[in-house]
Amino acid sequence: MNKTVHIGNALVGDGCEPFVIAEAGINHNGDISLAKKMIEVAAESGVDAVKFQTFRTEDFIFDHKITYTYQSQGKEVTESMFDMFKRTEFSREEWGEIKDCCDNCGITFLSTPVTVHDLEMLIGLGTAAVKVGSDDFTNIPFIKEYASKGLPMLISCGMADGDEIEQVVNASTEINDDLCIFLCTSQYPTPPENANISKLEEMRRRFPDVVLGFSDHTQGSTAAVLAVGYGAKVFEKHFTLSHDFPGPDHWFASDPDELREWASSIKEAYEMVGSPDLVPTPAEREMRSLARRSVVVVEDVEEGEVFSVNNLGLRRPGTGIPPSSYESILGRIAAKAIKAGALLEWDDLA
């Protein structure tokens, strides 16, 4: 069956154009002006939505001593994970500014909540869907509560196995069947050998009533182009305004030019996938008249003469009797005299 999901004003799924999300995440570094600039850049790149992360650090990190090591500005940095996230928080008022900026730029606003309280705030702002990250994929109580809000569910399945995916699909669709599951590899960046785009084929077989997406953590556009061919309909990718900014994601996230190329490649790949119907295109219909061959008289033929390999050949254009009939004509009698070079017609046969 054809499965679609509404994300804002966009219809997403089978028979629809890809829905492309630029993942700003925390790459604004807690700077509201930088976040607004990212929205503008995303809108200019041709994507459909820009996605952030909405949280209070205290709600998902308790121990301030937990550290995180990452690459930034050409160096290895180790710092408190609590401090890293804390400096990227926004207030309710700032989230309102971000949503207004998205509206003014004509781009859909999305954000991943960490708690139901965060989600309720996002709903109050008018978010178009609920995006759940891979870290909360098995958080079934949250997913059920999120699903009960009635918005489309966009869920990344990084780190999950097939049974876990099935459990989440069942838990969500029991409440809300507007669901998109994203193939995702939780490795930043994801090397080619770990992308496993063919997982989409198995996901499509096991979950035919679910829209498929691809959360692209690879570098470049190749994986996303392949994902289009395997049936993904929604796409997201981390981006930054500069690889030189401080922070954990900037060095591998796409810069504005790379984001634009990635989004363009997805839309071009969708056009290339096209229709599965085994029929020629309109341009091919015109070309086959020119390029194909017809049965042609290659030597003058007298009335009553037998058609043979000596006086018949196959030549362009393809507007006459097709080559598939050539063998059935051999041995037939000419109904009239025919000059060399003429396309044979059925009336020429006695």
Side-chain angles (χ1 to χ4, degrees):
M1 65 179 291
N2 290 339
K3 178 61 181 174
T4 56
V5 170
H6 276 97
I7 304 178
N9 295 325
L11 184 63
V12 181
D14 293 343
C16 304
E17 293 187 0
F19 190 85
V20 183
I21 304 168
E23 165 71 273
I26 60 172
N27 284 345
H28 47 72
N29 289 354
D31 183 338
I32 187 69
S33 62
L34 196 61
K36 292 177 180 179
K37 180 62 177 177
M38 294 185 80
I39 293 167
E40 294 169 1
V41 167
E44 292 167 359
S45 73
V47 304
D48 301 288
V50 60
K51 189 184 81 65
F52 296 89
Q53 295 176 19
T54 301
F55 54 83
R56 284 194 331 134
T57 307
E58 292 85 349
D59 291 334
F60 69 104
I61 300 176
F62 182 79
D63 187 352
H64 292 218
K65 296 178 182 178
I66 298 175
T67 61
Y68 183 61
T69 301
Y70 57 87
Q71 294 293 320
S72 176
Q73 299 175 312
K75 299 179 294 183
E76 185 174 270
V77 176
T78 300
E79 66 170 326
S80 162
M81 187 179 290
F82 183 94
D83 293 342
M84 182 184 75
F85 281 104
K86 190 65 179 176
R87 64 173 176 265
T88 64
E89 290 182 11
F90 285 134
S91 67
R92 168 65 174 77
E93 291 71 24
E94 287 172 320
W95 282 118
E97 290 183 43
I98 288 171
K99 174 60 166 62
D100 289 343
C101 184
C102 288
D103 292 344
N104 293 334
C105 290
I107 191 169
T108 299
F109 165 73
L110 296 171
S111 190
T112 296
V114 167
T115 66
V116 175
H117 174 76
D118 297 327
L119 176 58
E120 289 173 346
M121 184 195 72
L122 293 171
I123 291 173
L125 292 173
T127 187
V130 182
K131 178 62 172 70
V132 181
S134 296
D135 53 339
D136 269 332
F137 187 76
T138 56
N139 194 337
I140 301 299
F142 268 14
I143 287 175
K144 286 183 176 181
E145 194 157 4
Y146 289 170
S148 71
K149 302 301 181 181
L151 289 174
M153 298 286 289
L154 314 177
I155 308 179
S156 289
C157 68
M159 303 175 285
D161 59 33
D163 290 341
E164 290 173 329
I165 297 173
E166 185 168 357
Q167 183 182 28
V168 169
V169 168
N170 291 339
S172 181
T173 54
E174 283 177 2
I175 303 169
N176 180 350
D177 63 0
D178 280 341
L179 176 64
C180 174
I181 293 290
F182 288 72
L183 172 64
C184 175
T185 304
S186 298
Q187 187 176 1
Y188 310 91
T190 300
E193 65 271 19
N194 288 345
N196 295 313
I197 305 300
S198 60
K199 285 182 178 180
L200 285 164
E201 188 170 33
E202 176 64 10
M203 291 168 68
R204 183 171 51 185
R205 185 189 69 79
R206 291 184 62 171
F207 313 110
D209 298 335
V210 174
V211 174
L212 298 182
F214 177 49
S215 185
D216 186 1
H217 295 149
T218 69
Q219 293 181 295
S221 303
T222 304
V225 168
L226 287 170
V228 173
Y230 275 96
K233 306 298 182 182
V234 188
F235 299 81
E236 68 174 0
K237 194 176 186 70
H238 289 240
F239 84 106
T240 177
L241 296 185
S242 172
H243 294 300
D244 296 326
F245 285 172
D249 281 5
H250 297 287
W251 75 274
F252 75 84
S254 296
D255 65 23
D257 288 340
E258 292 164 338
L259 179 67
R260 190 177 303 109
E261 167 64 22
W262 175 77
S264 176
S265 296
I266 290 170
K267 293 178 180 181
E268 185 176 41
Y270 170 75
E271 292 181 359
M272 288 183 174
V273 169
S275 168
D277 296 336
L278 300 179
V279 296
T281 67
E284 285 181 309
R285 291 184 186 279
E286 294 182 13
M287 178 57 72
R288 69 182 181 181
S289 295
L290 176 65
R292 286 184 172 180
R293 303 190 190 195
S294 301
V295 180
V296 176
V297 177
V298 295
E299 291 184 353
D300 289 348
V301 172
E302 299 296 330
E303 182 179 352
E305 188 174 339
V306 175
F307 289 115
S308 69
V309 295
N310 296 319
N311 54 29
L312 291 183
L314 299 172
R315 306 286 190 274
R316 291 183 178 183
T319 54
I321 297 174
S324 57
S325 297
Y326 174 76
E327 292 178 335
S328 68
I329 295 172
L330 296 176
R332 301 277 299 270
I333 305 299
K336 59 185 178 182
I338 310 169
K339 290 292 186 180
L343 292 179
L344 192 67
E345 297 178 3
W346 289 112
D347 290 345
D348 296 333
L349 304 179

